[in-house]
């Protein structure tokens, strides 16, 4: 790989998220503000480079013009394949995953990319780190609506997801009150309850169940009985998809095989909790699963701005040769951290943090 090359490969990997296009636009604008730099986008994460035919697109000012307001990613993305886990269909219809990472390195070197930028969440950044260990000049940009990436204070997409989740709580409050019902809202967050906690506080849910705090149904029943006896005969309950009853595990999707890139597939946290409430004698229960609505659509202004800051920082890192690192936002400042640090563990809601305390002070029940 020639060190004077000014050719950059960029990809969006893992689940999509509002703000990805704002990052791409700012990155490309920063690069093309300076002479000689060429930015190439790989379609569907790194499939664009490894696939036959290749699907790479030259990203210039025209390609990225006005895209910051759009949801999703103009490059497309995937969770289901990558250089280390490339799916190959066997004759019997099953899928085998093969490691094509050495080939990936050779193709990048042959094409003369002097930097490879991967915008992705926890799993994707582990892939970025593994590519770095194979000698590639990589840079990560953190992305997840779940806000669970370690070593950065915030990720773009999170505020947009909280916006949608809060609107859902708001809407459920009015219908719950009209019918004297218990409305359960299932929100995203396999391992962390950031979206659920924020939406519960902002929307005014009565109960908030997050993966960090195993819940005890008897405590929630007692809480709801007191509320109902006090005259308020409705409740909105925000449940993270990874919520866990005391002594049990998260609600795993049955019959769905998780891909090697995906830790666990979840499904049914709200339904399971509804069943527990019915068994405890409650009636008039309804469930809403907000699902991918939280990931789609236009980013809120905060995420557009944060996305632009990440894009600009990542290009600065390319110019400085800060490889093997991830752009990070700390105390409102853009900086960078080693990918090892960024992928060491997930950022979960701290139980002694101000946000949990805020929720407790306004009488939100966690079932603990
Ligand atoms: O990783 C982000 C996330 O939004 C999780 O909260 C959620 O469990 C997951 O994606 C679901 O996404 P998909 O259906 O695309 O695998």
């Amino acid at each position: 790989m020639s060190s004077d090359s000014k050719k950059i490969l960029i990809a969006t990997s893992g689940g999509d998220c509002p703000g990805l296009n704002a990052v791409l636009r700012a990155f490309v604008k920063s690069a093309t503000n300076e002479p000689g730099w060429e930015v190439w986008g790989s379609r569907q994460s790194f499939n664009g480079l490894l696939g036959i035919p290749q699907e790479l697109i030259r990203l210039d000012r025209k390609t990225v013009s006005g895209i910051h307001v759009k949801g999703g990613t103009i490059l497309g993305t995937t969770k289901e394949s990558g250089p280390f886990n490339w799916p190959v269909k066997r004759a019997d219809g099953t899928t085998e995953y093969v490691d094509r990472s050495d080939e990936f390195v050779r193709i990048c070197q042959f094409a003369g990319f002097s930097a490879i930028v991967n915008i992705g969440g926890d799993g994707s950044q582990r892939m970025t780190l593994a590519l770095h260990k194979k000698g590639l000049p990589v840079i990560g940009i953190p992305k997840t609506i779940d806000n669970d990436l370690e070593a950065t204070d915030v990720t773009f997409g999170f505020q947009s997801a909280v916006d949608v989740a809060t609107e859902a709580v708001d809407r459920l409050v009015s219908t719950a009150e009209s019918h004297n019902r218990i409305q359960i809202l299932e929100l995203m967050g396999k391992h962390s309850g950031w979206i659920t906690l924020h939406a519960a506080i902002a929307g005014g849910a009565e109960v908030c169940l997050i993966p960090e705090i195993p819940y005890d149904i008897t405590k929630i029943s007692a809480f709801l009985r007191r509320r109902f006896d006090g005259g308020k005969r409705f409740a909105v309950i925000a449940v993270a998809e990874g919520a866990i009853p005391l002594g049990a595990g998260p609600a795993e999707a049955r019959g769905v095989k998780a891909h090697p890139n995906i830790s666990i597939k979840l499904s049914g946290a709200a339904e399971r909790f509804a069943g527990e409430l019915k068994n405890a004698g409650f009636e008039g229960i309804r469930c809403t699963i907000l699902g991918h609505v939280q990931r789609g659509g236009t980013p809120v202004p905060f995420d557009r701005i944060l996305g632009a800051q990440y894009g600009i920082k990542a290009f600065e890192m390319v110019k400085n040769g800060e490889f093997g690192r991830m752009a990070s936002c700390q105390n409102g400042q853009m900086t960078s951290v080693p990918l090892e640090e960024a992928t060491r563990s997930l950022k979960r809601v701290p139980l002694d943090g101000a946000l949990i305390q805020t929720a407790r002070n306004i009488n939100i029940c966690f079932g603990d």
Side-chain angles (χ1 to χ4, degrees):
M1 216 166 306
S2 110
S3 57
D4 53 6
S5 156
K6 288 187 158 184
K7 217 172 147 186
I8 308 167
L9 182 72
I10 192 163
T12 50
S13 302
D16 70 346
C17 155
L20 282 167
N21 289 326
V23 179
L24 290 171
R25 174 171 170 266
F27 185 88
V28 171
K29 282 197 172 206
S30 304
T32 52
N33 278 344
E34 301 204 10
W37 291 96
E38 259 180 44
V39 186
W40 289 82
S42 173
R43 282 217 190 264
Q44 311 297 136
S45 181
F46 291 121
N47 289 12
L49 193 89
L50 279 171
I52 301 171
Q54 276 190 334
E55 282 191 277
L56 301 181
I57 28 171
R58 177 79 184 264
L59 296 175
D60 55 18
R61 283 175 163 266
K62 215 167 147 199
T63 339
V64 299
S65 174
I67 63 169
H68 59 297
V69 302
K70 287 189 182 167
T73 157
I74 60 157
L75 291 178
T77 186
T78 180
K79 290 181 171 184
E80 278 88 20
S81 62
F84 295 91
N85 285 303
W86 186 265
V88 177
K89 277 258 178 256
R90 289 201 203 101
D92 64 1
T94 56
T95 304
E96 179 189 5
Y97 291 94
V98 297
D99 183 350
R100 293 184 64 193
S101 56
D102 288 334
E103 193 185 342
F104 182 83
V105 172
R106 281 197 300 278
I107 299 173
C108 286
Q109 287 169 340
F110 183 73
F113 289 117
S114 57
I116 292 129
V117 179
N118 191 18
I119 315 174
D122 173 56
S124 308
Q125 295 311 341
R126 272 188 261 121
M127 169 171 79
T128 319
L129 174 60
L131 291 172
H132 183 61
K133 288 185 175 160
K134 286 191 165 270
L136 284 182
V138 300
I139 284 170
I141 302 181
K143 167 248 56 158
T144 163
I145 62 160
D146 297 336
N147 198 38
D148 60 358
L149 260 172
E150 197 56 82
T152 189
D153 291 350
V154 269
T155 48
F156 56 87
F158 172 64
Q159 280 304 330
S160 303
V162 168
D163 219 55
V164 173
T166 303
E167 187 186 343
V169 175
D170 290 348
R171 288 178 183 273
L172 288 175
V173 168
S174 66
T175 178
E177 186 166 16
S178 305
H179 286 268
N180 280 338
R181 278 180 178 157
I182 297 176
Q183 290 283 356
I184 302 174
L185 174 66
E186 184 178 305
L187 296 167
M188 279 186 170
K190 282 184 202 167
H191 308 290
S192 70
W194 292 106
I195 296 175
T196 308
L197 179 57
H198 278 249
I201 295 173
E206 279 66 43
V207 180
C208 173
L209 306 181
I210 59 175
E212 290 85 346
I213 307 179
Y215 65 85
D216 180 344
I217 187 68
T218 57
K219 295 206 171 143
I220 299 166
S221 299
F223 172 87
L224 290 175
R225 292 260 173 254
R226 279 197 302 277
R227 175 178 166 84
F228 290 6
D229 291 347
K232 288 204 165 176
R233 304 201 50 81
F234 70 95
V236 172
I237 301 183
V239 181
E241 61 184 335
I244 44 178
L246 211 57
E252 278 195 59
R254 283 203 203 112
V256 182
K257 210 170 157 291
H259 178 271
N261 290 348
I262 300 167
S263 56
I264 190 173
K265 279 268 180 202
L266 298 180
S267 170
E271 284 294 343
R272 176 170 70 177
F273 180 64
E276 289 165 342
L277 278 183
K278 270 182 207 146
N279 290 342
F282 290 93
E283 289 173 344
I285 304 165
R286 298 289 187 275
C287 289
T288 302
I289 299 162
L290 206 54
H292 295 80
V293 172
Q294 293 158 95
R295 279 214 328 235
T298 188
V300 296
F302 180 88
D303 287 335
R304 298 179 197 184
I305 296 166
L306 187 61
Q309 288 174 316
Y310 271 121
I312 293 161
K313 178 66 187 174
F315 180 63
E316 187 188 300
M317 290 166 69
V318 170
K319 281 196 302 176
N320 295 340
E322 289 182 60
F323 300 121
R325 299 178 73 82
M326 186 185 83
S328 156
C329 179
Q330 288 176 22
N331 301 319
Q333 300 295 317
M334 294 316 275
T335 179
S336 74
V337 291
L339 278 163
E340 275 94 354
E341 199 181 306
T343 53
R344 199 168 293 146
S345 59
L346 282 177
K347 181 173 72 189
R348 307 187 82 212
V349 175
L351 301 189
D352 56 356
L355 218 51
I356 292 279
Q357 198 49 55
T358 302
R360 292 197 194 278
N361 288 351
I362 55 173
N363 301 337
I364 290 179
C365 169
F366 289 99
D368 61 341

